[in-house]
Amino acid sequence: GWKDAISTTIINFNNEKMQITWAARELFPSENVSFSYTFDEGKHKVWKPCPTYLLDQDYNSGCLFEAEGPTLAISIRNSNGSEELFSKRLKSDFYIKPNRPENVTFFWKEDTVTVSCNKPERAVKCLRLEVQYKSKFDKDWQSRTSKCCSVGEQGFDPRKCYSFRVRLKRLVPYCNVVDYSSDWEAETFWMNGTLLDSCDDDIKSQSNTVIVLSCLLAVLLMILILLILLCKWQRLQKSVMPVIPDPKYIFADVFSDHNGNFQEWIDKTEHAMVRTKLEYEEPECIIEAESQQEDEKNSDKQGPQEKIFSFSGAAENNDPKAAQIACLMPTSNTIASFAGFQVLMNDDMYVML
């Protein structure tokens, strides 16, 4: 009975190839066993040696051969084939592992996705199509299974990126004694009906947008801070170090008209100020003709004489001569300043002493 208790793994690859493996190191540690098989029934069986051995540390641990029928008999013997160590009869159709689904298509309509594939040539009733998906926010896969070969699912968010993978499964226990499924079809990435290379692209695009906006905000904040500091620095500079006026602009005519000769510019400026004052002086009073004639007669008779008047008393007594001389002065304030002086009159000139 120990021969039937030996554990083996049997896989029928879509009724194309058979693979049978055993634990060589544990079951047969002392020798390298041989393997033979047959798909024939009845008394006239033809045993075939294993065409391709699978090795485990140079020990035969399995055999790979063509699938030729639904009934299989296997035999494991010692190295020279004289003693049978293990034998078994089985239905090869109960160990089928299907191939990957072919021509997988995705049909998107709003929030509904329909996944379909081509129907296999054999045993379609024993197959189920399984679809798994998850978004970038999900940790575990969501699974949906339906009859071969179409699966529909609702509730997909168009703003999320989803990963999809598809495979075919055999029904247990009606079709298989072992729960075998095909390998997963290549994983695909979808977002709102658009095929992407990876969901990382969507994450990177969002992260890049956040980075760009953050950089722009940082630059604007830096510019604002610099403007504030600049304004405060200008105020501090004006308060601590007031601006010194440039004489080049205040005394422009010194450099343009006199080539920087300051003394020449002062002299010219004084003459201009005197002329300006004279332009604004009150017109001289005209001495009455009678007074002038009397003075001319007296001068002819007596010759040139000097007449001395004192203004101190005349000004107070409203002397007419003082009033005439006062007419020659620019303002009344000037007359008051000369009230204590003496004036020498000689012909038509008045000399102030």
Side-chain angles (χ1 to χ4, degrees):
W2 67 271
K3 293 182 180 179
D4 295 334
I6 293 176
S7 176
T8 57
T9 302
I10 304 168
I11 303 175
N12 182 351
F13 293 102
N14 200 40
N15 274 327
E16 296 172 0
K17 285 185 176 293
M18 294 289 298
Q19 176 181 294
I20 299 176
T21 58
W22 56 87
R25 301 293 294 172
E26 297 176 3
L27 298 173
F28 315 107
S30 59
E31 58 181 324
N32 201 3
V33 299
S34 61
F35 177 88
S36 59
Y37 69 95
T38 183
F39 286 92
D40 297 329
E41 297 181 6
K43 296 181 179 180
H44 304 287
K45 296 178 182 179
V46 179
W47 292 90
K48 296 179 182 180
C50 178
T52 305
Y53 278 104
L54 305 177
L55 301 179
D56 179 13
Q57 298 181 4
D58 297 330
Y59 281 84
N60 296 334
S61 62
C63 182
L64 184 65
F65 54 94
E66 298 289 335
E68 300 175 5
T71 303
L72 173 65
I74 60 174
S75 175
I76 299 176
R77 295 176 176 270
N78 57 5
S79 58
N80 57 15
S82 60
E83 181 184 0
E84 187 179 68
L85 303 176
F86 173 75
S87 64
K88 186 174 183 179
R89 290 174 58 88
L90 55 96
K91 290 290 185 179
S92 61
D93 291 343
F94 287 168
Y95 297 88
I96 293 177
K97 179 178 180 178
N99 291 336
R100 293 178 179 178
E102 297 179 354
N103 193 22
V104 178
T105 59
F106 291 80
F107 177 73
W108 289 74
K109 186 177 181 180
E110 296 178 355
D111 66 338
T112 303
V113 180
T114 302
V115 183
S116 60
C117 68
N118 291 344
K119 289 184 178 182
E121 297 179 357
R122 300 175 182 177
V124 177
K125 293 182 179 179
C126 290
L127 295 175
R128 293 292 182 266
L129 181 64
E130 182 182 9
V131 177
Q132 290 188 349
Y133 62 90
K134 66 177 180 178
S135 70
K136 59 186 178 182
F137 302 104
D138 299 327
K139 294 182 179 179
D140 300 324
W141 290 94
Q142 305 294 323
S143 182
R144 295 291 180 271
T145 304
S146 181
K147 292 182 180 181
C148 188
C149 293
S150 179
V151 178
E153 183 64 18
Q154 296 179 342
F156 290 94
D157 191 342
R159 297 170 297 180
K160 294 181 180 180
C161 178
Y162 292 90
S163 304
F164 286 88
R165 61 184 185 180
V166 183
R167 69 179 177 179
L168 290 173
K169 296 184 64 176
R170 289 274 294 186
L171 287 176
V172 177
Y174 304 102
C175 299
N176 263 33
V177 295
V178 181
D179 188 9
Y180 281 149
S181 300
S182 70
D183 294 333
W184 290 105
E185 183 63 19
E187 188 174 349
T188 56
F189 307 93
W190 296 83
M191 181 176 181
N192 196 21
T194 303
L195 181 63
L196 304 176
D197 294 333
S198 172
C199 283
D200 294 336
D201 297 338
D202 179 50
I203 297 174
K204 287 179 181 179
S205 62
Q206 293 181 358
S207 62
N208 291 336
T209 304
V210 172
I211 291 172
V212 170
L213 292 177
S214 301
C215 292
L216 289 175
L217 290 175
V219 170
L220 292 176
L221 183 61
M222 289 288 292
I223 293 174
L224 180 62
I225 293 174
L226 289 175
L227 290 175
I228 295 174
L229 292 176
L230 182 61
C231 294
K232 289 187 176 182
W233 170 253
Q234 289 179 350
R235 292 181 181 178
L236 180 63
Q237 190 177 19
K238 288 181 180 180
S239 60
V240 177
M241 296 179 291
V243 179
I244 300 174
D246 191 352
K248 181 178 180 180
Y249 300 100
I250 300 176
F251 305 101
D253 50 350
V254 176
F255 301 96
S256 60
D257 298 338
H258 302 284
N259 295 324
N261 192 333
F262 193 72
Q263 186 61 41
E264 181 180 346
W265 174 77
I266 290 177
D267 295 339
K268 185 175 180 180
T269 305
E270 288 181 350
H271 293 309
M273 291 177 63
V274 171
R275 286 196 300 269
T276 304
K277 288 182 179 180
L278 291 177
E279 289 178 1
Y280 288 98
E281 286 181 355
E282 296 181 359
E284 295 182 357
C285 297
I286 301 174
I287 302 174
E288 297 179 358
E290 295 179 356
S291 300
Q292 290 180 356
Q293 291 177 2
E294 290 178 359
D295 293 338
E296 289 177 356
K297 289 179 181 181
N298 295 329
S299 60
D300 292 338
K301 292 180 181 181
Q302 299 177 0
Q305 294 180 356
E306 294 180 355
K307 294 182 180 180
I308 300 173
F309 296 91
S310 176
F311 279 91
S312 60
E316 295 176 358
N317 297 327
N318 296 325
D319 193 301
K321 290 292 183 181
Q324 292 175 1
I325 294 174
C327 290
L328 299 176
M329 301 298 131
T331 61
S332 59
N333 290 334
T334 308
I335 296 172
S337 62
F338 291 98
F341 290 87
Q342 292 181 345
V343 176
L344 174 62
M345 180 184 291
N346 185 4
D347 295 340
D348 296 335
M349 295 180 63
Y350 297 93
V351 179
M352 183 171 58
L353 302 179

